[in-house]
CSV table of all heavy atoms in Angstrom, one decimal:
chain,number,residue,atom,x,y,z
A,204,ALA,N,10.7,-17.0,42.5
A,204,ALA,CA,9.2,-17.2,42.8
A,204,ALA,C,8.8,-18.5,43.3
A,204,ALA,O,7.9,-18.6,44.1
A,204,ALA,CB,8.4,-16.8,41.5
A,205,ASP,N,9.5,-19.6,42.9
A,205,ASP,CA,9.1,-20.9,43.3
A,205,ASP,C,9.5,-21.2,44.7
A,205,ASP,O,9.2,-22.3,45.3
A,205,ASP,CB,9.7,-22.0,42.4
A,205,ASP,CG,11.2,-22.0,42.3
A,205,ASP,OD1,11.9,-21.0,42.8
A,205,ASP,OD2,11.8,-23.0,41.8
A,206,MET,N,10.2,-20.3,45.4
A,206,MET,CA,10.6,-20.5,46.8
A,206,MET,C,9.6,-19.9,47.7
A,206,MET,O,9.7,-20.0,48.9
A,206,MET,CB,12.0,-19.9,47.0
A,206,MET,CG,13.1,-20.6,46.4
A,206,MET,SD,13.3,-22.3,47.0
A,206,MET,CE,14.7,-22.8,46.1
A,207,PHE,N,8.5,-19.4,47.2
A,207,PHE,CA,7.5,-18.7,48.0
A,207,PHE,C,6.1,-19.3,47.7
A,207,PHE,O,5.8,-19.7,46.6
A,207,PHE,CB,7.5,-17.2,47.8
A,207,PHE,CG,8.8,-16.6,48.3
A,207,PHE,CD1,9.8,-16.4,47.4
A,207,PHE,CD2,8.9,-16.3,49.6
A,207,PHE,CE1,11.0,-15.9,47.8
A,207,PHE,CE2,10.2,-15.8,50.1
A,207,PHE,CZ,11.2,-15.6,49.2
A,208,ALA,N,5.3,-19.3,48.7
A,208,ALA,CA,3.9,-19.7,48.5
A,208,ALA,C,3.1,-18.7,47.8
A,208,ALA,O,3.5,-17.6,47.5
A,208,ALA,CB,3.3,-20.0,49.9
A,209,SER,N,1.8,-19.1,47.5
A,209,SER,CA,1.0,-18.2,46.7
A,209,SER,C,0.7,-16.9,47.3
A,209,SER,O,0.3,-15.9,46.6
A,209,SER,CB,-0.3,-18.9,46.3
A,209,SER,OG,-1.0,-19.3,47.5
A,210,ASP,N,0.8,-16.8,48.7
A,210,ASP,CA,0.5,-15.5,49.3
A,210,ASP,C,1.6,-14.5,49.2
A,210,ASP,O,1.5,-13.3,49.6
A,210,ASP,CB,0.2,-15.7,50.8
A,210,ASP,CG,1.3,-16.3,51.6
A,210,ASP,OD1,2.5,-16.4,51.1
A,210,ASP,OD2,1.1,-16.7,52.8
A,211,GLY,N,2.8,-14.9,48.6
A,211,GLY,CA,3.9,-14.0,48.4
A,211,GLY,C,4.7,-13.6,49.7
A,211,GLY,O,5.6,-12.8,49.6
A,212,LEU,N,4.3,-14.2,50.8
A,212,LEU,CA,5.0,-13.9,52.0
A,212,LEU,C,5.7,-15.1,52.6
A,212,LEU,O,6.9,-15.1,53.0
A,212,LEU,CB,4.0,-13.3,53.1
A,212,LEU,CG,4.6,-13.2,54.5
A,212,LEU,CD1,5.8,-12.3,54.5
A,212,LEU,CD2,3.5,-12.6,55.4
A,213,HIS,N,5.0,-16.2,52.7
A,213,HIS,CA,5.5,-17.4,53.3
A,213,HIS,C,6.3,-18.3,52.3
A,213,HIS,O,6.0,-18.1,51.1
A,213,HIS,CB,4.4,-18.2,54.0
A,213,HIS,CG,3.8,-17.5,55.1
A,213,HIS,ND1,2.6,-16.7,55.0
A,213,HIS,CD2,4.1,-17.4,56.4
A,213,HIS,CE1,2.3,-16.1,56.1
A,213,HIS,NE2,3.2,-16.5,57.0
A,214,PHE,N,7.1,-19.1,52.8
A,214,PHE,CA,7.9,-19.9,51.9
A,214,PHE,C,7.1,-21.1,51.3
A,214,PHE,O,6.1,-21.5,51.9
A,214,PHE,CB,9.2,-20.4,52.6
A,214,PHE,CG,10.1,-19.3,53.0
A,214,PHE,CD1,10.1,-18.7,54.2
A,214,PHE,CD2,11.0,-18.7,52.0
A,214,PHE,CE1,10.9,-17.6,54.5
A,214,PHE,CE2,11.8,-17.7,52.3
A,214,PHE,CZ,11.8,-17.1,53.6
A,215,SER,N,7.6,-21.7,50.2
A,215,SER,CA,7.0,-22.8,49.6
A,215,SER,C,7.5,-24.1,50.1
A,215,SER,O,8.5,-24.2,50.8
A,215,SER,CB,7.3,-22.7,48.1
A,215,SER,OG,8.7,-22.9,47.8
A,216,GLY,N,6.9,-25.2,49.7
A,216,GLY,CA,7.3,-26.5,50.1
A,216,GLY,C,8.7,-26.8,49.6
A,216,GLY,O,9.5,-27.5,50.2
A,217,LYS,N,9.1,-26.2,48.4
A,217,LYS,CA,10.4,-26.4,47.9
A,217,LYS,C,11.5,-25.8,48.8
A,217,LYS,O,12.5,-26.4,49.1
A,217,LYS,CB,10.5,-25.7,46.5
A,217,LYS,CG,11.9,-25.9,45.8
A,217,LYS,CD,11.9,-25.3,44.4
A,217,LYS,CE,13.2,-25.6,43.8
A,217,LYS,NZ,13.2,-25.0,42.4
A,218,MET,N,11.2,-24.6,49.4
A,218,MET,CA,12.2,-24.0,50.3
A,218,MET,C,12.2,-24.8,51.6
A,218,MET,O,13.2,-25.1,52.2
A,218,MET,CB,11.8,-22.6,50.7
A,218,MET,CG,12.6,-21.9,51.8
A,218,MET,SD,14.4,-21.8,51.4
A,218,MET,CE,14.4,-20.3,50.4
A,219,TYR,N,11.0,-25.3,52.1
A,219,TYR,CA,10.9,-26.1,53.3
A,219,TYR,C,11.7,-27.4,53.1
A,219,TYR,O,12.3,-27.9,54.1
A,219,TYR,CB,9.5,-26.4,53.7
A,219,TYR,CG,8.7,-25.2,54.2
A,219,TYR,CD1,7.4,-25.0,53.9
A,219,TYR,CD2,9.3,-24.1,54.9
A,219,TYR,CE1,6.7,-23.9,54.4
A,219,TYR,CE2,8.6,-23.0,55.3
A,219,TYR,CZ,7.3,-22.9,55.1
A,219,TYR,OH,6.6,-21.8,55.5
A,220,GLY,N,11.7,-27.9,51.9
A,220,GLY,CA,12.5,-29.1,51.7
A,220,GLY,C,14.0,-28.9,51.8
A,220,GLY,O,14.7,-29.7,52.3
A,221,LEU,N,14.5,-27.7,51.5
A,221,LEU,CA,15.9,-27.3,51.7
A,221,LEU,C,16.2,-27.3,53.2
A,221,LEU,O,17.3,-27.8,53.6
A,221,LEU,CB,16.2,-26.0,51.0
A,221,LEU,CG,16.1,-25.8,49.5
A,221,LEU,CD1,16.4,-24.4,49.1
A,221,LEU,CD2,17.0,-26.9,48.8
A,222,TRP,N,15.3,-26.8,54.0
A,222,TRP,CA,15.5,-26.7,55.4
A,222,TRP,C,15.6,-28.1,56.0
A,222,TRP,O,16.4,-28.4,56.8
A,222,TRP,CB,14.4,-25.9,56.1
A,222,TRP,CG,14.2,-24.5,55.7
A,222,TRP,CD1,15.0,-23.8,54.8
A,222,TRP,CD2,13.2,-23.6,56.2
A,222,TRP,NE1,14.5,-22.5,54.6
A,222,TRP,CE2,13.5,-22.4,55.5
A,222,TRP,CE3,12.2,-23.7,57.1
A,222,TRP,CZ2,12.6,-21.3,55.7
A,222,TRP,CZ3,11.4,-22.6,57.3
A,222,TRP,CH2,11.6,-21.4,56.6
A,223,ALA,N,14.6,-29.0,55.5
A,223,ALA,CA,14.6,-30.3,56.0
A,223,ALA,C,15.9,-31.1,55.7
A,223,ALA,O,16.4,-31.8,56.6
A,223,ALA,CB,13.4,-31.1,55.5
A,224,ARG,N,16.4,-30.9,54.5
A,224,ARG,CA,17.6,-31.6,54.1
A,224,ARG,C,18.8,-31.0,54.8
A,224,ARG,O,19.7,-31.8,55.1
A,224,ARG,CB,17.8,-31.6,52.6
A,224,ARG,CG,16.8,-32.5,51.8
A,224,ARG,CD,17.1,-32.6,50.4
A,224,ARG,NE,16.8,-31.4,49.6
A,224,ARG,CZ,15.6,-31.1,49.2
A,224,ARG,NH1,14.6,-31.9,49.4
A,224,ARG,NH2,15.4,-29.9,48.5
A,225,GLU,N,18.8,-29.7,55.1
A,225,GLU,CA,19.9,-29.1,55.9
A,225,GLU,C,19.9,-29.7,57.3
A,225,GLU,O,21.0,-30.0,57.9
A,225,GLU,CB,19.7,-27.6,55.9
A,225,GLU,CG,20.7,-26.9,56.8
A,225,GLU,CD,22.1,-26.8,56.1
A,225,GLU,OE1,22.2,-27.1,54.9
A,225,GLU,OE2,23.0,-26.4,56.8
A,226,ALA,N,18.7,-29.9,57.9
A,226,ALA,CA,18.6,-30.4,59.3
A,226,ALA,C,18.9,-31.9,59.4
A,226,ALA,O,19.3,-32.4,60.5
A,226,ALA,CB,17.2,-30.0,59.8
A,227,LEU,N,18.7,-32.6,58.3
A,227,LEU,CA,18.7,-34.1,58.4
A,227,LEU,C,19.9,-34.7,59.0
A,227,LEU,O,19.8,-35.5,60.0
A,227,LEU,CB,18.4,-34.7,57.0
A,227,LEU,CG,18.4,-36.2,56.9
A,227,LEU,CD1,17.3,-36.8,57.7
A,227,LEU,CD2,18.3,-36.6,55.4
A,228,PRO,N,21.1,-34.4,58.6
A,228,PRO,CA,22.3,-35.1,59.2
A,228,PRO,C,22.4,-34.8,60.7
A,228,PRO,O,22.7,-35.7,61.5
A,228,PRO,CB,23.5,-34.5,58.4
A,228,PRO,CG,22.9,-33.9,57.2
A,228,PRO,CD,21.5,-33.5,57.5
A,229,ALA,N,22.2,-33.6,61.1
A,229,ALA,CA,22.3,-33.2,62.5
A,229,ALA,C,21.2,-33.9,63.4
A,229,ALA,O,21.5,-34.4,64.5
A,229,ALA,CB,22.3,-31.7,62.7
A,230,VAL,N,20.0,-34.0,62.8
A,230,VAL,CA,18.9,-34.6,63.6
A,230,VAL,C,19.2,-36.1,63.7
A,230,VAL,O,18.9,-36.7,64.7
A,230,VAL,CB,17.6,-34.2,63.0
A,230,VAL,CG1,16.4,-35.0,63.6
A,230,VAL,CG2,17.3,-32.7,63.1
Side-chain angles (χ1 to χ4, degrees):
D205 62 345
M206 291 295 182
F207 296 93
S209 58
D210 63 10
L212 171 58
H213 296 94
F214 293 98
S215 67
K217 184 175 180 178
M218 174 62 80
Y219 290 146
L221 295 180
W222 300 359
R224 287 189 288 277
E225 178 73 14
L227 180 63
V230 174

